Amino acid sequence: MVPILLSPSLSQLSLWAFGLILVLGFLKLICLLLGRQMLAKAMDSSPGPPTHWLFGHALDIIWTRWCPCVHPVWLGQFRTVQFLNIYDPDYTKAVYSRGDPKAPDVFDFFLQWIGEGLLVLQGPKWFQHRKLLTPGFPYDVLKPYVAVFAESTRATDKWEEKSREHKSFDICGVGHMVLDSLMKCTFGRGKSGLGHRDRSYRLAVSDLSLLMQQRFGSFQYHKDSVYWLTPQGRHFLQACQVAHDHTDQVIRERNAALQDKKEWEKIQSRRHLDFLDVPLGARDEDGIELPDADLWAEVDTFMSEGHDTTTSGMSWFLYCMALPERQHRCREEVREILGDRDSIQGDDLRKMTYLTTCLKESFRLYPAVPQVYRQLSKPDFVDGRSLPAGSLISLHIYAHHRNSAVWLDPKVFDPLPFPENVVVFAFILFSAGPRNCLAQQFAMNKMNVVTALCLLCFEFALEPSRPPIQSLCSKNGIHFHLKALGPGSERKEPAEMLIREELERRPSDSGLF
């Protein structure tokens, strides 16, 4: 009898609940559309390139020919993604000096892999981590790592085998060399000491980097609920688990070892600390250490960012070094610095002025981080324009470095010191403002050492039939022919012939020459 009496009221409650959900959903949709319309109105105050009614600006990425400094961008129907694109030093300084948080719509992709490390942290916790990790990256602290970087170039023994085969190969494979040196610097492991677990970790990091690049370029995978159902998403989660298990185990082992006072003194007396030792030994003003979750987040952040950026940077640098005269000048500079020595020391890095200039110029043309995003924390912007809080601002570093208002012949590789009229924020290595890359000096040191030793050992000539398709590290790789060089030797004719053929096939405005 009781269920019969209650059934009508339960039915009514269900209807009311369903109706309430519909009303709330409708109101949420209205608020979303109104907010998007307000943002679109504010964005459209800046002139921009023509749009497609469905895809927005997705079909035309060469935006700089339409606007010299800034313009709005929207992608997808109903402006699914919209942001303001900037590539002018004054605009960059105005936005990136403010300390606005990084855009969660973009950087949340990293959370499953690297957790809440410096890359994605905001506010006081970011400031705390930054302060605790900064002592690990001063110039003098980084100098002892030079020996580790030099040791990693032993992987080029395989390159010598390739050179004897007289076949081209993809230089982007330098990523394995990068990962080996990173694991040595982070965990105290080198290639000779990699066990099965370490090799699995290296493969997982390599897979994760590739999967992240693919996801960024596929808008249909930007929603987690969709991505985790795909084969790529499941592979990503599996690789994340391998990376996390490895980092967790290393942290537990190192923590256990540090309980022994003699072991800690032994670590402190080493020529250099592993990166893991820096956060493990860090304490805030109250003597509180970082919890294990924060430790693995910072370690995985270091591995993630250190792998992609330096692999890309070194690969495109060697691409820009395709002309024999550039290689020769870099090689002679390094030889003059080393003299009778066959190894590079920390103090040598400051003397490699031409090599460093060439590295920076290659970064200008082919930035390892082509675009970074910020989300405005308050409604403010430069030149009287006002955008609502929450608006996305994209610093398009690739277009920024090719802005003809700043750079003379911006598409041409010119390894001379940057002209005096290049203002602050005109050249951006990895990012800008107070949230710039903490480890950028570490990355530059590594690239200086590895590229210098590579140029001492080999002469590089591009494969004319396989020109690279630009992306972070070229969609089809960067293929070279190699000639092994003995001490003091310089073999030119075969490589020069290949390069001259490449020059004849390459469009004159390609940006390399």
Side-chain angles (χ1 to χ4, degrees):
M1 189 72 177
V2 174
I4 295 175
L5 291 173
L6 289 176
S7 57
S9 58
L10 286 174
S11 177
Q12 290 175 353
L13 285 173
S14 298
L15 287 173
W16 290 342
F18 181 69
L20 181 61
I21 291 172
L22 283 179
V23 170
L24 290 176
F26 181 74
L27 291 175
K28 181 72 174 178
L29 178 61
I30 293 296
C31 291
L32 179 64
L33 292 176
L34 287 175
R36 189 165 289 175
Q37 185 178 16
M38 289 176 59
L39 179 59
K41 185 178 180 180
M43 291 280 189
D44 289 342
S45 63
S46 298
T51 60
H52 185 276
W53 68 273
L54 178 61
F55 300 108
H57 298 99
L59 301 180
D60 183 7
I61 62 171
I62 312 300
W63 299 315
T64 53
R65 68 171 179 261
W66 299 99
C67 311
C69 302
V70 58
H71 70 266
V73 174
W74 63 269
L75 308 170
Q77 197 173 18
F78 306 116
R79 296 181 181 246
T80 306
V81 178
Q82 54 185 336
F83 53 88
L84 201 65
N85 220 19
I86 61 175
Y87 37 88
D88 175 84
D90 292 334
Y91 282 84
T92 301
K93 183 178 180 180
V95 175
Y96 283 77
S97 296
R98 293 166 28 122
D100 289 305
K102 294 187 175 181
D105 291 348
V106 177
F107 290 94
D108 280 359
F109 290 168
F110 290 92
L111 285 175
Q112 192 70 35
W113 175 10
I114 64 175
E116 295 187 352
L118 275 178
L119 182 68
V120 297
L121 281 176
Q122 315 289 354
K125 192 172 182 180
W126 172 85
F127 183 80
Q128 178 204 29
H129 281 221
R130 177 89 177 198
K131 186 176 181 181
L132 290 175
L133 296 177
T134 296
F137 293 98
Y139 183 82
D140 289 337
V141 173
L142 295 176
K143 283 198 295 186
Y145 285 106
V146 167
V148 181
F149 303 151
E151 184 183 353
S152 71
T153 59
R154 291 180 180 177
T156 58
D157 291 346
K158 294 183 179 179
W159 291 9
E160 191 163 348
E161 295 174 11
K162 294 284 186 182
S163 70
R164 288 195 291 267
E165 294 173 2
H166 303 291
K167 295 179 180 178
S168 67
F169 78 104
D170 181 11
I171 206 72
C172 288
V174 74
H176 292 298
M177 186 195 306
V178 171
L179 272 176
D180 284 335
S181 64
L182 278 174
M183 291 184 72
K184 175 65 176 178
C185 295
T186 306
F187 304 122
R189 286 161 164 77
K191 187 172 181 181
S192 59
L194 291 180
H196 172 72
R197 188 186 68 190
D198 299 313
R199 288 191 291 270
S200 297
Y201 177 78
R202 184 181 67 181
L203 290 173
V205 171
S206 182
D207 287 349
L208 288 167
S209 297
L210 179 61
L211 289 167
M212 283 290 294
Q213 293 175 36
Q214 293 172 346
R215 189 181 182 188
F216 271 120
S218 305
F219 291 108
Q220 69 272 24
Y221 293 153
H222 282 196
K223 289 289 185 183
D224 287 348
S225 56
V226 174
Y227 186 61
W228 303 142
L229 297 176
T230 66
Q232 295 93 330
R234 291 192 293 271
H235 184 189
F236 186 88
L237 292 175
Q238 291 169 358
C240 282
Q241 192 61 51
V242 172
H244 296 165
D245 289 346
H246 177 274
T247 306
D248 285 340
Q249 186 165 348
V250 172
I251 289 173
R252 286 197 301 270
E253 291 172 355
R254 188 65 60 89
N255 266 325
L258 293 181
Q259 299 304 313
D260 185 344
K261 185 176 180 181
K262 290 184 178 179
E263 182 66 22
W264 176 244
E265 291 175 352
K266 181 180 176 182
I267 290 174
Q268 293 281 42
S269 64
R270 286 202 311 248
R271 189 178 179 189
H272 71 269
L273 294 177
D274 301 327
F275 173 73
L276 180 58
D277 296 326
V278 176
L280 275 173
R283 302 290 186 274
D284 64 14
E285 293 85 350
D286 300 321
I288 300 175
E289 60 188 19
L290 291 175
D292 284 353
D294 289 351
L295 286 173
W296 74 250
E298 295 302 351
V299 169
D300 284 347
T301 295
F302 182 70
M303 292 296 296
S304 161
E305 300 308 293
H307 172 239
D308 281 345
T309 53
T310 49
T311 298
S312 172
M314 285 190 286
S315 299
W316 286 113
F317 167 78
L318 293 173
Y319 172 72
C320 291
M321 288 289 103
L323 284 179
E325 50 266 32
R326 293 178 190 160
Q327 295 182 43
H328 176 73
R329 184 168 174 182
C330 283
R331 208 171 280 126
E332 288 306 306
E333 179 184 66
V334 176
R335 284 174 177 165
E336 184 178 346
I337 292 169
L338 295 184
D340 296 332
R341 290 184 284 120
D342 58 0
S343 61
I344 296 177
Q345 300 173 357
D347 291 333
D348 296 331
L349 298 179
R350 293 187 186 274
K351 303 173 186 177
M352 297 181 185
T353 53
Y354 183 73
L355 178 65
T356 302
T357 302
C358 287
L359 268 170
K360 288 183 177 181
E361 179 68 354
S362 67
F363 264 106
R364 184 185 69 81
L365 284 172
Y366 305 102
V369 182
Q371 209 165 359
V372 292
Y373 296 84
R374 295 290 185 268
Q375 187 172 47
L376 295 184
S377 56
K378 57 182 180 180
D380 187 20
F381 195 50
V382 72
D383 72 6
R385 206 169 304 166
S386 181
L387 294 175
S391 301
L392 291 184
I393 306 293
S394 161
L395 170 54
H396 200 296
I397 298 178
Y398 180 86
H400 198 281
H401 287 171
R402 293 169 181 249
N403 189 335
S404 58
V406 178
W407 304 94
L408 183 65
D409 295 328
K411 295 182 179 180
V412 176
F413 182 90
D414 182 10
L416 296 175
F418 291 158
E420 295 180 359
N421 64 337
V422 174
V423 297
V424 179
F425 286 94
F427 174 70
I428 298 165
L429 191 57
F430 296 124
S431 186
R435 294 200 59 139
N436 64 351
C437 178
L438 179 62
Q440 59 183 324
Q441 188 61 57
F442 176 92
M444 286 299 295
N445 286 0
K446 184 190 338 182
M447 289 186 289
N448 265 293
V449 173
V450 174
T451 54
L453 293 176
C454 286
L455 289 173
L456 284 179
C457 296
F458 300 97
E459 183 179 321
F460 296 82
L462 285 170
E463 168 56 63
S465 64
R466 305 180 73 175
I469 301 172
Q470 189 172 355
S471 63
L472 189 59
C473 191
S474 178
K475 293 180 180 180
N476 62 335
I478 303 177
H479 293 81
F480 284 95
H481 289 275
L482 298 186
K483 290 290 181 181
L485 298 175
S489 65
E490 194 86 50
R491 307 181 191 178
K492 290 186 177 181
E493 290 187 26
E496 282 187 352
M497 289 174 62
L498 287 171
I499 292 172
R500 295 308 169 190
E501 290 176 10
E502 168 66 11
L503 280 172
E504 292 173 3
R505 300 185 188 201
R506 187 184 297 266
S508 60
D509 62 346
S510 65
L512 174 56
F513 305 103

